Amino acid sequence: MVESTAAVSEWRIGEFDVPGYLRAVGVEPGPANLDLLERLHRAHVFTFPFSNVEVLLGDHPGVKPANVHAQLVERRRGGYCFEHSQLLAAALETLGFSVRRALGRVRGVDSPRTHMTVLVDVDGARYLCDPGFGFSVTGPISLADGAARYEGDRVFSVGRIDDEGWPLWAFRRGDALEHVLDESTVHAVDVEMGHRKTSTDPTSVFLNHLMVMKHTPEGHITVTESGTTVRAPGEPTAQTSLEPSHVVNKVREVGVTLTDREAKRLTEIVERLRD
C-alpha cells in the first residue's frame, strides 16, 4: 500500500529534516525492512519524551510539519501523539516504507478521535507503531487479531472489536484498553482538529494535568504535577511525591528543554494544578 502523491504532498514530509532526525536518534539509514523499523521506533521513544508542557505554557506552535520538527528535533521540547507520529511517519516514508496514518479513541469508543498512530506495511504484513502515547510499546506490533508484543514483564496486544458494525482495532497494555483505532483515511486537517480539541478544550486532560513521560534504559518514568512514577521490569512501581520546583527539575531531566523563565512559569502552573 502506497499513499497517493496528493496524500504525501498533503503531509508535507519535505518540511522534516530527516537526516537531522536520524542523527538525533542515532540511527543509520538502510533497507526498509522490519529490523530498521524496530530500531527506529525504539530510538525515537528513547530520544524524544512525551510531553504536554507546551500546551500548559499556553504557547504551543501548532502541529504543522515545520513546527513539529522544530519542536521535537531542534528545540527538544517533547510533544504528544500528533507530533511524534507525524515525525516518525515522515522519516519512514523518506526511508522508503509504505505508511498510513491512523486516528484512534483513547480508553474507549465513546472518546473523540484524538490519538494518532502510524501503520506500516513491511513484507506483506501491517504493523502498528505508537510513538506518541507516552507509556506504550517501544517497537512495532503486528496489526493482527491476537497479536502480542512482550516487553519485560509487560504484554501489549492487538485485537478486533467493532463499533456498531464498524471494525476497529483495540490496543491493550495487559488487561487495560489503551486506545482503539480504525484504518479509515486521515487527512492533515483531522490532525489539526484533534490537536485543537486536546490543546484548547477546557476539559482536556492536557490542560488539567502535567504529563511528561520517557522510556529509559532502566524502565519508564512518568512526571506529573504530584511527582514521579518509575516502572522497571521485575521491580515494584516506585512513586515519589515532589515539591513543584523539583517536579520541573525532573521534567528537564527527562529531556524537555526549558529556559529559566519557562521553568518558573511551569512551576507556577504545577502549583495551580495541585490546588
Side-chain angles (χ1 to χ4, degrees):
M1 184 279 303
V2 178
E3 290 189 336
S4 68
T5 301
V8 172
S9 176
E10 174 187 3
W11 293 105
R12 295 155 60 176
I13 64 174
E15 294 184 15
F16 292 94
D17 174 11
V18 173
Y21 166 79
L22 294 174
R23 288 192 297 271
V25 299
V27 173
E28 292 289 333
N33 56 28
L34 187 57
D35 175 69
L36 179 59
L37 180 62
E38 179 81 37
R39 289 188 289 113
L40 194 60
H41 192 303
R42 181 177 178 83
H44 182 110
V45 299
F46 274 72
T47 302
F48 304 114
F50 177 97
S51 169
N52 70 324
V53 166
E54 208 79 69
V55 174
L56 287 176
L57 290 175
D59 50 10
H60 197 292
V63 292
K64 293 187 181 300
N67 293 338
V68 170
H69 184 85
Q71 181 173 325
L72 266 69
V73 180
E74 297 173 5
R75 299 172 62 215
R76 297 302 178 97
R77 299 284 283 201
Y80 58 174
C81 63
F82 299 125
E83 294 137 332
H84 285 281
S85 290
Q86 282 197 85
L87 178 58
L88 181 63
L92 290 170
E93 280 190 336
T94 301
L95 292 170
F97 286 92
S98 177
V99 171
R100 187 175 183 87
R101 294 147 182 90
L103 290 179
R105 305 178 188 275
V106 177
R107 309 301 180 205
V109 296
D110 57 347
S111 299
R113 296 173 79 223
T114 55
H115 181 55
M116 185 179 185
T117 57
V118 183
L119 307 181
V120 185
D121 292 342
V122 181
D123 297 331
R126 178 162 289 182
Y127 292 86
L128 167 64
C129 296
D130 197 19
F133 197 64
F135 186 26
S136 187
V137 284
T138 63
I141 181 171
S142 178
L143 196 68
D145 197 20
R149 180 182 175 94
Y150 296 86
E151 298 192 352
D153 53 2
R154 292 186 292 273
V155 58
F156 297 88
S157 61
V158 170
R160 274 295 195 188
I161 62 172
D162 69 82
D163 180 19
E164 297 185 1
W166 183 257
L168 302 174
W169 294 103
F171 177 71
R172 290 183 169 86
R173 174 164 55 91
D175 294 329
L177 177 63
E178 298 289 69
H179 55 78
V180 296
L181 64 102
D182 60 65
E183 297 178 76
S184 59
T185 301
V186 176
H187 293 285
V189 68
D190 299 321
V191 175
E192 293 176 14
M193 290 300 294
H195 166 67
R196 184 174 300 179
K197 167 71 175 175
T198 54
S199 65
T200 65
D201 186 336
T203 66
S204 170
V205 66
F206 292 111
L207 286 171
N208 291 281
H209 294 283
L210 172 68
M211 291 182 292
V212 176
M213 307 178 201
K214 179 81 173 298
H215 288 279
T216 73
E218 294 74 32
H220 182 275
I221 182 170
T222 299
V223 185
T224 69
E225 66 270 18
S226 301
T228 61
T229 300
V230 177
R231 299 174 175 89
E235 300 290 337
T237 299
Q239 294 183 310
T240 304
S241 297
L242 297 173
E243 292 300 314
S245 62
H246 294 161
V247 166
V248 175
N249 288 340
K250 281 294 181 183
V251 168
R252 283 173 146 174
E253 289 177 15
V254 167
V256 178
T257 300
L258 295 168
T259 66
D260 289 342
R261 176 178 291 184
E262 289 166 339
K264 181 179 179 181
R265 283 176 58 202
L266 186 59
T267 301
E268 294 168 351
I269 292 168
V270 168
E271 291 173 343
R272 173 176 57 79
L273 293 175
R274 291 161 67 113
D275 290 341

